[in-house]
Amino acid sequence: MSTVSNTQTAQNVLAGLGRSEPVGKKDDENSQARFLTLLTTQLRNQDPMNPLENAEITSQLAQMSTVDGIERLNTMFSAFVDSQNANDSMQAAALVGRGVLVEGKRLGLTESGAVGGFELDGPADKVVLSIKDAAGLTVGQMELTDVDAGSQNFVWDGTASDGSRAADGIYTLELNATLRGEKVAGRTLEFGPVTSVIRGPAGTDFQVGALGIFKFDDIKQIL
């Protein structure tokens, strides 16, 4: 088994990402001015026989300070979210043209070979990868030892179990991993190129060739 190196670069970078506009302070200033006007009017027209106590004035000022602080915090948080979304989009755009591994069973063989992968929930002392054709017959097998938990990638050169060259096409990958004879949970991964980035209200999605649309968390490895 050979391993794919992480040296490929993006071929296309998305342009024209929106920039968030600076948040103005006019609304905050108007709100404070209105509050101070109301408080001044209240003090000017209070009952001289029952004036506001210092504690009441202090309480109202404290409330205004709290509201103002919350508004400023919301403004700062909104600006942070906008900045973070723009940054995430820029990072996502860098994946266009890169190969990734996502969960799936298909293994596409071309004259250059086939790239696939698997993910283990724990370490395994033995991993057997079975490559099957459309009829479900095993065409080839790869056996690995002492494999760590996490995602792994491999390249199949197309050599079948009998030593012949398998025909180009789509095959199915099956995984059997064990540790001291006990089964280790895992799943197979399939390879595809990131062809576009889709930014929506729920986050950023990736179109991975003909495999479909995936979230960033669905991408197990970037090659």
Side-chain angles (χ1 to χ4, degrees), residues 193-209:
V194 177
T195 51
S196 65
V197 174
I198 306 166
R199 183 180 178 186
T204 301
D205 297 331
F206 300 86
Q207 179 71 48
V208 182

Side-chain angles (χ1 to χ4, degrees), residues 76-100:
M76 291 174 61
F77 184 73
S78 296
F80 170 77
V81 170
D82 290 342
S83 175
Q84 187 65 34
N85 287 340
N87 184 56
D88 289 345
S89 295
M90 289 296 293
Q91 292 180 344
L95 289 182
V96 176
R98 299 286 295 272
V100 297

